[in-house]
């Protein structure tokens, strides 16, 4: 190798390193030295390799005219690599105020070069070894001047905000990894809502004083917020109802969620503190408007489970072994306390029912089982009302996924629902655009021609015809028994009845033969809903969130995600140019926000109400408004279909639902006897609904599939056992009839705790005639003997198959057979008997004839005549002596 070549090889890496360092300092994406890869705050395909930057707190989390003019950001830098990192520093960058709702999400994916306002770097640490972390605090002025009081001497930069709005901020951390050069190693993004700019008095800043700048409040946003209380299904499947049996749960996690500090406890406590300022918020910061804007949305399955826990319950030792050992649950007291608190709160707030066990209406419609539909669609409101002793808002459906298909819309309409709450991109207008203004949600600000209606009207479902039943019809031809439907579900609201005027909602059952009206759809903003879903410990990305703005929110800290939600909740109020002056805030149904996060969101709403930027509006008021006159249709989102219940569960659920309905129709309700057919079989129907649950499906699909499959198997196994519990007992050996018309004696047994109606199914051979004794009844946990009229015309052994069925001919128990042998000989026996009788008459006549003629009978030959005379005289003398004795 030449000397010149060696020289070039020596200087080429050095030159490349200098170029990359310069590019990194300038903030050009992708600039880094050897081994130092830039991070995009969790929004890129690869995460950070050396340093991890997290936001710990932002104070104040919302800037107002009365808040501090200094934004205090606390964060932590952690060395997550395998080498030391030197010269670590951070800085704040700000982007322009978000001008359209889609920017609430898309802005968080922008590169740092799009955050045009850049503040100077501030040192964090000289060196961090692997695993070491360092917390830092930045104090940044909000306005375009920097306050310079003694207490804020460390403030060296300002964000230069001049108008209220929602602003994106980016924290950028630089450092020099060992064997590399200085580079951007990670960043973190979050939103800061600015409801107003605080004043900066003259002499208190490096420049002239500044007056406060409030946000315009000429068109306050009518705001409604739903407050969900739900949990994944916990009850072990395959256990029928009983009188004194304890509930069995898969695990005891729910006890922790109900106890102090648990998820459900904190969600309830946040509302309690907001409604009762003496226990939480400052009384001067709360008002009656917050209570009128909130509506509790409660999962009936959660109420059923918690109510069962209050009386004591058992828990599986291993959730994966339903037949294994169990132990006592620890949450009975916590369940009772939480339920009492909810009872008190629901009496003071608007309350409505979520789908039972977060079941998917689309899957329920596809199963097309009347009994299952009645329990999943008709019963939730009745369950909530009966357990909480309230009258909930009726006639409104809240699908968990925020999107339904035509079958689900038809199902809801035919079961008396007048309204549904869906994502604004889950309905489309005549031009093919969604209610959000675009095909999958707006990426630009909607203009005057792309108004975003909050209420739209769906067309009425087609009428039901005998040839083609509409999904969700209440009486399909396949229904085994009409008596099973009311026993399996809550009694539907009679036609023409309404809820009290306080709710403002009519819940009218569709009369037979009439055509129900189309659903009125209230749409919620997908951007605020996506941001609210990211708040908490287990943040999902909803299926209605467009693909183009999806990223893993788990890479962001909880404090950053809370800031994003605060900004999303405030955006419409801070942008009067938005054509939609209403907001329906919809957190995910299985929300994991803690008390501090939930309280911060409620406080934000209260501030918006007090400042006139928003106006509280109740859920009934929202649903009572007229719908947009333009025709809209449901838009079943592809992402929702991907996260839906797999089709492989539909047929098995339908089969077991029909078996439950058939058995329900055969059971007999005996007065003052428990359990009733309804209480006995309804838990199994609930298990089938839980198979159709959307809980955890958009985040842990495999876990949800495992739980659904296990639940279906357990229910199927139990139904097999129930059907085998009613059977005819095999007699054993050969049954011998005393005559050709002797009855057949059979014994049937019922091991169920409920009386049952049965019929005997006997396949009689041609040689036997067996009378059908019709419908019979077996007592609960008892047996009965039956005499079956039977006529057999054959002396051979006959094998007669015997089984039990329901009155609708559904097989019960195990079939058996009886071997029958009769003592009858048929025609031959009659001929022999006649011949024997004739012979007897002939012989008797012959003897009499000879006696009258005085001729000895040949049968008397061999008897001495003298001896015969003496015997005759002795007989006559004995007769005379007897007569004289009687005469005395």
């Amino acid at each position: 190798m030449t000397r010149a070549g060696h020289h070039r090889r020596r200087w080429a890496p050095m030159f490349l390193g200098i170029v990359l360092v310069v590019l990194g300092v300038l903030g050009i994406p992708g600039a880094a030295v050897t081994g130092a890869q830039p991070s995009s705050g969790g929004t890129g395909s690869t995460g950070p390799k050396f340093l991890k930057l997290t936001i710990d707190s932002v104070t104040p989390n919302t800037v107002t005219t009365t808040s501090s003019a200094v934004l205090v950001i606390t964060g932590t830098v952690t060395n997550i690599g395998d080498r030391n990192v030197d010269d670590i520093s951070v800085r704040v960058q700000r982007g322009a105020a978000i001008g359209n709702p889609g920017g609430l999400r898309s802005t968080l994916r922008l590169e740092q070069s799009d955050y045009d306002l850049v503040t100077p770097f501030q040192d964090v640490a000289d060196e961090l070894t692997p695993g070491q972390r360092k917390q830092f605090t930045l104090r940044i002025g909000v306005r375009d001047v920097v306050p310079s009081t003694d207490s804020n001497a460390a403030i060296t930069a300002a964000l230069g905000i001049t108008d209220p709005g929602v602003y994106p901020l980016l924290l950028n951390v630089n450092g020099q990894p060992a064997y590399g050069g200085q580079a951007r190693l990670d960043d973190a993004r979050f939103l800061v809502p600015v409801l107003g700019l605080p004043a900066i008095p003259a002499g208190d800043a490096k420049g002239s004083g500044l007056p406060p700048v409030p946000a315009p409040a000429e068109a306050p946003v009518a705001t409604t917020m739903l407050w969900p209380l739900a949990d994944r299904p916990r009850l072990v499947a395959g256990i029928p109802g009983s009188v004194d049996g304890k509930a069995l749960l898969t695990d005891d996690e729910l006890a922790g969620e109900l106890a102090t500090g648990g998820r459900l406890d904190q969600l309830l406590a946040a509302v309690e503190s907001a409604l009762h300022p003496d226990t939480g918020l400052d009384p001067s910061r709360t008002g009656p408007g917050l209570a009128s804007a909130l509506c509790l949305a409660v999962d009936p399955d959660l109420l059923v489970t918690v109510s069962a826990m209050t009386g004591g319950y058992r828990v599986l030792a291993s959730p994966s072994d339903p037949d294994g050992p169990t132990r006592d649950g620890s949450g009975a007291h916590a369940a009772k306390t939480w339920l009492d608190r909810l009872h008190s709160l629901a009496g003071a707030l608007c309350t409505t029912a979520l789908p039972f066990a977060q079941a998917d209406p689309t899957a329920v419609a596809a199963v097309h089982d009347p009994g299952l539909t009645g329990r999943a669609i008709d019963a939730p409101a009745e369950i909530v009302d009966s357990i909480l002793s309230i009258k909930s808002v009726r006639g409104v459906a809240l699908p968990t996924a925020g999107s339904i298909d035509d079958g689900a819309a038809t199902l809801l309409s035919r079961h008396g629902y007048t309204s549904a709450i869906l994502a604004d991109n889950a309905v489309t207008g005549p031009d093919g655009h969604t209610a959000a203004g675009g095909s999958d949600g707006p990426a630009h600000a909607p203009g005057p021609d792309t108004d975003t209606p909050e209420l739209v009207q769906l067309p009425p479902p087609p009428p039901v015809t005998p040839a083609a039943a509409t999904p969700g019809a209440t009486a399909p031809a396949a229904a085994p028994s009409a008596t099973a439907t009311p026993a399996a579900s809550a009694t539907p609201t009679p036609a023409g009845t309404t809820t009290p005027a306080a709710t403002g909602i009519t819940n009218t059952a569709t009369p037979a033969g009439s055509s129900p009206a189309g659903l009125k759809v209230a749409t919620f903003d997908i951007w605020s809903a996506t941001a609210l879903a990211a708040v908490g410990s287990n943040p999902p990305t909803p299926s209605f969130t467009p693909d183009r703005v999806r990223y893993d929110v788990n890479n962001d800290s909880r404090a950053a995600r809370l800031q994003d939600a605060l900004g999303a909740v405030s955006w419409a109020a801070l942008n009067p140019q938005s054509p939609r002056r209403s907001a329906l805030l919809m957190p995910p149904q299985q929300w994991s926000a803690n008390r501090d996060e939930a309280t911060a969101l409620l406080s934000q709403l209260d501030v918006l109400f007090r400042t006139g930027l928003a106006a509280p509006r109740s859920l009934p008021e929202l649903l009572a408004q007229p719908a947009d006159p333009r025709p809209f249709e449901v838009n079943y989102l592809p992402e929702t279909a991907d996260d839906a219940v797999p089709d492989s569960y539909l047929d098995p659920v339908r089969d077991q639902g029909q078996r439950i309905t058939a058995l329900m129709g055969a059971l007999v309700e005996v007065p003052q006897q428990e359990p009733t057919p309804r209480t006995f079989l309804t838990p199994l129907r609930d298990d089938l609904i839980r198979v159709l649950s959307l809980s955890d499906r958009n985040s842990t699909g495999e876990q949800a599939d495992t739980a659904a499959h296990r639940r279906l198997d357990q229910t199927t196994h139990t139904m097999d056992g129930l059907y085998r519990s009613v059977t005819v007992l095999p007699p054993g050996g050969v049954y011998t009839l005393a005559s050709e018309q002797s009855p057949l004696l059979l014994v049937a047994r019922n091991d169920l705790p409920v009386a049952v109606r049965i019929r005997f199914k006997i396949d009689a051979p041609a040689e036997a005639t067996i009378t059908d004794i019709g419908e019979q009844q077996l007592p609960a946990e008892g047996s009965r003997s039956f005499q079956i009229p039977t006529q057999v015309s054959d002396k051979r052994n006959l094998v007669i198959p015997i089984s039990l069925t329901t009155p609708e001919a559904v097989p019960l128990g195990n079939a058996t057979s009886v071997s029958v042998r009769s003592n009858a000989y048929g025609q031959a026996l009659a001929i022999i008997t006649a011949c024997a009788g004739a012979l007897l008459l002939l012989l008797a006549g012959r003897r009499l004839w000879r006696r009258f003629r005085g001729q000895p009978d040949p049968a008397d030959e061999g008897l001495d005549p003298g001896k015969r005379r003496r015997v005759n005289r002795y007989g006559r003398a004995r007769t005379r002596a007897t007569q004289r004795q009687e005469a005395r």
Side-chain angles (χ1 to χ4, degrees), residues 239-300:
I239 301 178
S242 62
V243 178
D244 53 359
K246 289 186 177 182
L248 180 61
L249 274 61
T250 57
D251 53 62
D252 214 12
E253 292 180 4
L254 184 55
E257 295 194 1
L258 298 172
T260 302
R263 180 181 66 89
L264 293 170
D265 165 75
Q266 295 190 68
L267 287 175
L268 211 58
V271 179
E272 290 172 335
S273 64
L275 297 182
H276 306 288
D278 54 327
T279 62
L281 303 178
D282 183 353
S284 64
R285 299 190 58 193
T286 60
L290 185 60
S292 61
L294 285 178
C295 190
L296 299 177
V298 188
D299 181 2

Side-chain angles (χ1 to χ4, degrees), residues 424-757:
D424 56 13
N425 59 349
V427 289
T428 56
D431 56 356
H433 282 69
T434 67
S439 59
D440 60 351
H444 54 81
D449 297 331
T450 59
D451 191 10
T452 57
E454 190 174 26
L455 277 91
V456 300
Q457 189 76 38
L458 301 181
V464 178
T465 61
T470 304
T474 57
S481 172
T483 61
T485 300
S489 62
T491 305
T493 305
T497 62
T498 61
T499 58
T503 64
I505 300 176
T506 301
N507 182 20
T508 306
T510 305
S514 66
S515 178
L519 280 176
K520 180 191 292 186
V521 174
T523 59
F524 60 83
D525 174 52
I526 61 173
W527 309 111
S528 61
T530 298
L532 288 171
V535 176
S537 59
N538 185 27
T541 298
S543 58
F544 50 73
T545 303
D547 282 338
R548 66 174 186 274
V549 291
R550 284 176 172 263
Y551 64 89
D552 187 3
V553 296
N554 287 283
N555 292 329
D556 296 336
S557 67
R558 294 185 66 161
R561 300 198 301 265
L562 175 61
Q563 286 299 130
D564 299 340
L566 294 173
V569 167
S570 308
W571 184 87
L574 294 172
N575 288 269
Q577 75 278 5
S578 173
R580 181 165 170 171
R581 305 309 297 161
S582 59
L584 175 57
L585 303 178
M586 188 74 180
Q589 293 184 6
Q590 201 168 309
W591 202 16
S592 59
N594 62 25
R595 178 172 181 171
D596 292 339
E597 293 163 337
T599 300
L601 289 166
L602 291 175
S603 300
Q604 187 79 350
L605 282 183
D606 189 67
V607 170
L608 293 174
F609 294 150
R610 288 189 298 102
T611 55
L613 296 174
R617 176 191 55 184
S618 68
L619 179 63
E621 290 174 346
L622 164 63
L623 300 178
Q625 296 179 1
D628 191 290
R630 295 173 294 177
F632 281 82
E633 297 180 351
V634 293
N635 175 36
Y636 192 48
L637 301 173
E639 295 82 2
T640 302
D642 293 340
D643 294 336
V645 177
D647 291 342
S648 59
Y649 291 102
L650 302 183
D651 287 341
V653 167
R654 182 187 302 111
D655 293 342
Q656 298 309 313
Q658 291 175 350
R659 296 180 74 191
I660 292 175
T661 299
L663 186 58
M664 182 82 75
L667 298 183
V668 180
E669 184 167 353
V670 179
Q672 299 181 350
Q673 179 176 316
E674 294 289 342
T676 64
R678 176 182 174 183
T679 57
F680 181 63
L681 289 181
T682 294
L684 300 178
R685 185 163 274 149
D686 291 348
D687 290 333
L688 295 180
I689 299 174
R690 295 181 184 111
V691 173
L692 307 179
S693 174
L694 291 177
S695 174
D696 297 331
R697 281 209 167 271
N698 67 342
S699 57
T700 55
E702 293 183 1
Q703 178 180 346
D705 269 338
T706 300
H709 191 272
R710 181 181 297 127
R711 194 172 296 277
L712 182 58
D713 285 347
Q714 291 172 273
T715 305
T716 302
H717 178 73
T718 297
M719 289 305 303
D720 292 342
L722 295 184
Y723 271 84
R724 288 194 300 267
S725 298
V726 183
T727 188
V728 57
L729 300 180
V734 178
Y735 190 86
T736 303
L737 299 178
S739 69
E740 63 178 354
Q741 293 186 349
S742 295
L744 187 63
L745 299 180
L746 298 177
V747 178
R749 178 168 181 80
N750 173 27
D751 291 329
L752 300 178
V754 187
V756 61
R757 296 179 298 125

Side-chain angles (χ1 to χ4, degrees), residues 137-185:
T137 299
L138 301 179
R139 293 178 174 84
I140 308 295
V142 174
R143 307 191 66 171
D144 53 1
V145 297
V146 180
S148 58
T149 61
D150 293 339
S151 60
N152 294 324
I155 300 173
T156 58
L159 296 176
I161 297 175
T162 58
D163 298 295
V166 178
Y167 291 86
L169 298 187
L170 178 144
L171 259 65
N172 177 9
V173 58
N174 274 21
Q176 183 178 356
Y179 317 113
Q182 191 77 13
R184 176 170 61 95
L185 301 180

Side-chain angles (χ1 to χ4, degrees), residues 879-888:
T879 301
R880 287 195 298 272
T882 303
Q883 290 174 351
R884 285 196 298 270
Q885 185 70 24
E886 290 176 354
R888 293 195 188 99

